[in-house]
Amino acid sequence: TLTTATPVLRRTPDLATRLRATLSALGTLAADPAAPTAVRTLTTTVRSVGRTADTLLPAQLTCNVLGISVRNLASVVSTGTADGPTLLAMVVLEPNQIFQRGTPAPNLHANPAPVNDATECETGNEPFLPGQRIGNPEGLQPARTELTAPPGAATARARRAGLLAGAGR
């Protein structure tokens, strides 16, 4: 215990100094008449971020939405033809979807709120069925998508820079 605790206890004065500065700043904040409003605003913001994280976390862990979205966005601007990048050269050849209509196109497929959680990954797994399909497809789609990984050289650089720990990551 002494062998393990001694190096930790040596760092205690530094911790006490930083803690003293933190508590002093907290005391200054508490004395500020505008602080209650600022703290309430911060609390609201933190709660909002928490709800967002509650939605995004399962979508990322199960469906890898961020990795696939970033990879696909990079592909859209980096690949293409002699006419330019795919994003600039994308042509929609469906008159029912190009011009204004009083009703959705008869062959429109749109899912503005796909389910991406621990039960299913609709994005990227939606079946293309004939006719108009608006909203979530029927049934459960697979609860997996394509895995992505950074290039080996980038991982090695991140590990050398101390951004990644351990051999298994």
Side-chain angles (χ1 to χ4, degrees):
T1 301
L2 288 175
T3 303
T4 303
T6 301
V8 175
L9 290 174
R10 283 189 184 127
R11 293 192 306 255
T12 302
D14 181 48
L15 174 64
T17 302
R18 288 185 287 159
L19 186 56
R20 185 177 301 116
T22 302
L23 292 175
S24 175
L26 186 58
T28 303
L29 176 67
D32 185 342
T37 302
V39 169
R40 275 195 301 276
T41 303
L42 179 61
T43 302
T44 301
T45 302
V46 169
R47 283 188 185 133
S48 172
V49 168
R51 285 191 291 271
T52 301
D54 289 344
T55 300
L56 294 179
L57 187 61
Q60 179 56 34
L61 291 177
T62 304
C63 303
N64 192 24
V65 293
L66 184 61
I68 292 172
S69 298
V70 170
R71 187 220 37 218
N72 290 350
L73 181 61
S75 296
V76 165
V77 295
S78 67
T79 60
T81 66
D83 297 324
T86 305
L87 184 63
L88 301 176
M90 194 176 298
V91 179
V92 177
L93 298 175
E94 176 57 59
N96 283 320
Q97 294 180 22
I98 294 175
F99 302 110
Q100 291 184 348
R101 301 174 41 94
T103 59
N107 57 352
L108 177 66
H109 286 70
N111 186 357
V115 175
N116 289 303
D117 60 19
T119 62
E120 69 177 321
C121 301
E122 284 185 351
T123 304
N125 287 320
E126 295 173 278
F128 190 86
L129 302 170
Q132 188 182 80
R133 306 289 172 183
I134 300 176
N136 303 97
E138 294 179 17
L140 288 176
Q141 309 315 308
R144 66 188 179 292
T145 57
E146 186 178 349
L147 296 177
T148 58
T155 303
R157 277 195 310 269
R159 189 166 280 118
R160 284 193 304 272
L163 299 173
L164 296 176
R169 290 186 168 214

